[in-house]
Amino acid sequence: MTDHVTVTDEDSARIITMRRPDKKNALTQGMYTTMADAINSAQSDPDIRSIVISGGAGVFTAGNDLEDFAKANTSNDDSSRPMAATLFLRALADNEKPLIGAVDGIAVGVGTTMLFHCDYVVAGSTATFSTPFIHLGLVPEAASSLLAPRVMGYQRAFSMLVMGRTVTAEEAREAGFVNAVVAPGHTEAEARKVAREIGSLPKDAVALTRKLLKPAREDVQRRMDEESHHFGERLKSDEARNAFSAFFARKKKA
């Protein structure tokens, strides 16, 4: 567990909220673990009809905490390696409950790619979405290389995942991975409203229809494994090492 994530059950929804505003909700290994546990434990609870992931007001998440990530990746202690992020991504892939994203502010890296696992996404009008994996010498994750083109089309996915271009809330709605754009500060309230609407629908019919709409879980997991392999290889590359060094040098000067 971590103080940087809160998990509450309200009516028929589980609300997972990232709470690290001083770091723009940058995700640590502990945060990943808590969120994965919250998603996984919801699967066997018949009273939980949907799951909401939120960053609270003002920010969704800046993505990986790169200092925490680098520390975990270079540790000699196997238990400290960055497996928590993988567990979280697996939890998203295995999840069978309707998943709702409430995005206020920035959604960077995994903050954007996790949304392709959501069934409904609410974004504040000032929200932005970016996936700067290439700029760090890496490749996308969370099966986004499979899911993003499926949702938004190849050209838009290339622009975001390869070129690293930032997408606005309205552009995300037009692209198809955001359902509704609301006033800043109102995303979580709107997401809770969506959760109540889903909770009022016939449970088994929702589950079956959702399964029919989604790509096969095996395909998603296979793509995650492929991305993970390349991600690990890229971490050892000169491109990635140079990009990380430049990032930490800029941060030190700031």
Side-chain angles (χ1 to χ4, degrees):
M1 295 295 290
T2 173
D3 293 337
H4 294 143
V5 175
T6 61
V7 180
T8 58
D9 294 341
E10 177 185 294
D11 298 326
S12 61
R14 171 153 294 178
I15 315 296
I16 302 170
T17 308
M18 295 170 279
R19 299 273 188 206
R20 201 188 179 204
D22 57 316
K23 297 293 186 180
K24 298 182 180 179
N25 290 339
L27 293 163
T28 64
Q29 300 303 296
M31 293 171 73
Y32 277 126
T33 298
T34 300
M35 292 195 295
D37 289 346
I39 293 170
N40 288 333
S41 62
Q43 304 306 305
S44 59
D45 190 334
D47 294 329
I48 296 175
R49 300 286 304 278
S50 62
I51 300 169
V52 174
I53 299 182
S54 171
V59 63
F60 189 60
T61 173
N64 274 310
D65 182 313
L66 292 184
E67 288 186 356
D68 180 81
F69 178 84
K71 184 188 300 182
N73 190 60
T74 57
S75 173
N76 291 323
D77 179 3
D78 287 348
S79 65
S80 298
R81 290 179 182 172
M83 292 300 296
T86 301
L87 293 176
F88 172 67
L89 298 182
R90 287 291 184 188
L92 291 176
D94 292 341
N95 170 56
E96 296 181 351
K97 304 287 177 97
L99 186 63
I100 304 161
V103 182
D104 208 32
I106 61 170
V108 180
V110 69
T112 289
T113 58
M114 73 168 76
L115 300 175
F116 292 109
H117 294 269
C118 289
D119 303 282
Y120 198 103
V121 178
V122 180
S125 58
T126 58
T128 58
F129 307 84
S130 60
T131 55
F133 300 107
I134 300 296
H135 295 170
L136 290 171
L138 304 174
V139 296
E141 31 74 311
S144 57
S145 62
L146 172 69
L147 301 176
R150 186 176 187 269
V151 171
M152 60 195 299
Y154 175 83
Q155 282 77 11
R156 280 172 165 154
F158 184 93
S159 176
M160 186 171 71
L161 293 177
V162 177
M163 300 176 73
R165 289 185 175 178
T166 297
V167 176
T168 67
E170 191 55 40
E171 288 170 340
R173 189 192 65 79
E174 292 175 358
F177 70 91
V178 163
N179 295 77
V181 177
V182 300
H186 292 268
T187 57
E188 190 168 312
E190 183 64 25
R192 290 170 186 256
K193 187 186 300 182
V194 172
R196 288 193 294 272
E197 180 181 349
I198 293 172
S200 70
L201 300 172
K203 179 181 177 181
D204 292 344
V206 168
L208 180 55
T209 303
R210 180 182 184 275
K211 184 176 181 180
L212 290 169
L213 288 170
K214 290 277 189 179
R217 184 185 304 178
E218 295 77 12
D219 292 341
V220 174
Q221 292 174 337
R222 189 179 304 113
R223 183 57 60 91
M224 279 189 177
D225 289 341
E226 186 177 358
E227 290 172 344
S228 179
H229 169 74
H230 291 302
F231 196 98
E233 290 297 314
R234 293 302 305 163
L235 277 173
K236 303 171 188 174
S237 70
D238 290 339
E239 287 182 337
R241 287 170 178 163
N242 293 337
F244 274 79
S245 295
F247 172 83
F248 290 124
R250 289 194 301 269
K251 188 170 183 179
K252 189 174 182 179
K253 290 179 181 179

